[in-house]
């Protein structure tokens, strides 16, 4: 029997300051693991996982984890243009990482254009509420100002780890349905899926990540 292993592939990029929790969030989502200590990303890391959204559609998320340090900006900028989604990630215990969100959003939009993308504001480390420097209400106000979605997460407890990725995939799919986004030749942001014999479906449920550096 042959059926779609995935109906679409969406390419997403995670951006934000260094050490805000991007890598931990991705590892929790793709591997179901949390590391107390995580080394800063060097260059770009790649992850992938399948999710199921509306109508039973299966979407392969191709996830690019970028380094937040300035010296890697020239490398990570090249990954913007082929992304259909961007997750703007900050640390709720680090106010400066939140204050930099408008700069990250501007940079992403500038490099993704002329293509359109779906943006999502993500607050990491919600389990560290006693050290909080950014109120959830304040982050929601910022998201509302830019007309983007917002969600707080915790890689440690698993809070909203699944939901934050499913939500952005859902929003991209709806924009495909209403014609705002589409598959385009020469653009990697959205790709059509392919079919595979049913007995092999388990092989791509999750893929190991790889590191891409200078």
């Amino acid at each position: 029997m042959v059926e779609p292993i995935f109906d679409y592939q969406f390419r997403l990029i995670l951006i934000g300051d260094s050490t805000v929790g991007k890598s931990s969030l991705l590892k929790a989502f793709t591997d179901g693991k949390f590391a107390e200590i995580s080394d800063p990303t060097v260059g770009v890391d790649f992850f992938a996982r399948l999710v199921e959204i509306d109508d039973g559609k299966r979407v392969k998320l191709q996830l690019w984890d970028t380094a937040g340090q300035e010296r890697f900006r020239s490398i990570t900028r090249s990954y913007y243009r082929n992304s259909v989604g961007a997750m703007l990630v900050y640390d709720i215990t680090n106010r400066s990482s939140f204050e930099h969100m408008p700069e990250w959003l501007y940079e992403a939009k500038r490099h993704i254009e002329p293509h359109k993308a779906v943006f999502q504001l993500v607050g990491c480390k919600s389990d560290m509420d006693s050290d909080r420097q950014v109120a959830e209400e304040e982050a929601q106000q910022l998201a509302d100002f830019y007309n983007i979605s917002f969600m707080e997460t915790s890689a440690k407890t698993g809070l909203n780890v699944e939901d934050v990725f499913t939500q952005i995939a859902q929003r991209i799919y709806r924009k495909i349905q209403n014609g705002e986004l589409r598959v385009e030749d020469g653009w990697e942001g959205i790709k059509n899926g392919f079919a595979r014999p049913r007995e092999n479906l388990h092989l791509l449920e999750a893929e190991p990540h790889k590191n891409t550096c200078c």
Side-chain angles (χ1 to χ4, degrees):
M1 180 178 179
V2 175
E3 65 178 54
I5 187 163
F6 57 87
D7 298 279
Y8 291 99
Q9 175 179 287
F10 300 158
R11 181 165 170 166
L12 309 180
I13 188 169
L14 277 74
I15 55 178
D17 289 2
S18 181
T19 72
V20 295
K22 299 186 295 295
S23 299
S24 293
L25 179 63
L26 278 169
K27 288 172 184 174
F29 176 62
T30 57
D31 300 335
K33 299 176 182 177
F34 172 71
E36 289 287 350
I37 300 175
S38 181
D39 295 329
T41 300
V42 177
V44 178
D45 263 2
F46 167 76
F47 298 76
R49 215 196 93 175
L50 294 179
V51 296
E52 188 169 300
I53 54 174
D54 275 355
D55 307 322
K57 296 293 184 183
R58 294 165 65 88
V59 174
K60 179 180 179 181
L61 298 181
Q62 199 179 73
L63 305 157
W64 297 89
D65 176 21
T66 65
Q69 302 99 315
E70 181 62 36
R71 68 180 184 275
F72 294 120
R73 291 287 182 89
S74 61
I75 300 170
T76 58
R77 285 185 185 117
S78 65
Y79 289 87
Y80 284 111
R81 67 179 65 93
N82 278 309
S83 298
V84 70
M87 303 181 83
L88 307 158
V89 185
Y90 71 94
D91 175 354
I92 71 161
T93 71
N94 181 340
R95 182 157 191 86
S96 65
S97 71
F98 174 72
E99 292 173 344
H100 294 157
M101 287 293 94
E103 298 171 28
W104 284 106
L105 178 60
Y106 171 75
E107 180 168 290
K109 285 185 173 181
R110 183 162 61 93
H111 290 287
I112 289 172
E113 290 179 351
H115 300 292
K116 295 180 180 179
V118 173
F119 296 92
Q120 179 141 337
L121 181 64
V122 182
C124 282
K125 307 180 186 180
S126 66
D127 54 284
M128 299 176 66
D129 195 63
S130 60
D131 297 319
R132 179 186 291 274
Q133 295 183 5
V134 182
E136 191 170 358
E137 295 77 12
E138 185 179 7
Q140 185 63 64
Q141 288 174 2
L142 182 68
D144 291 343
F145 179 79
Y146 287 109
N147 194 29
I148 62 178
S149 293
F150 162 66
M151 192 176 289
E152 284 194 353
T153 65
S154 170
K156 186 172 185 177
T157 67
L159 177 70
N160 291 333
V161 169
E162 293 283 328
D163 291 347
V164 75
F165 290 98
T166 302
Q167 184 183 86
I168 193 170
Q170 190 73 66
R171 292 178 61 218
I172 293 168
Y173 175 66
R174 286 174 183 163
K175 287 182 179 293
I176 294 173
Q177 293 298 98
N178 65 27
E180 291 182 61
L181 292 170
R182 65 183 187 277
V183 178
E184 299 178 36
D185 290 339
W187 184 51
E188 301 290 321
I190 304 171
K191 285 186 174 182
N192 286 315
F194 62 91
R196 175 169 293 199
R198 185 178 180 87
E199 61 268 21
N200 293 332
L201 285 179
H202 68 283
L203 297 178
L204 286 187
E205 283 296 335
E207 295 183 8
H209 76 277
K210 63 182 179 182
N211 180 266
T212 306
C213 185
C214 29

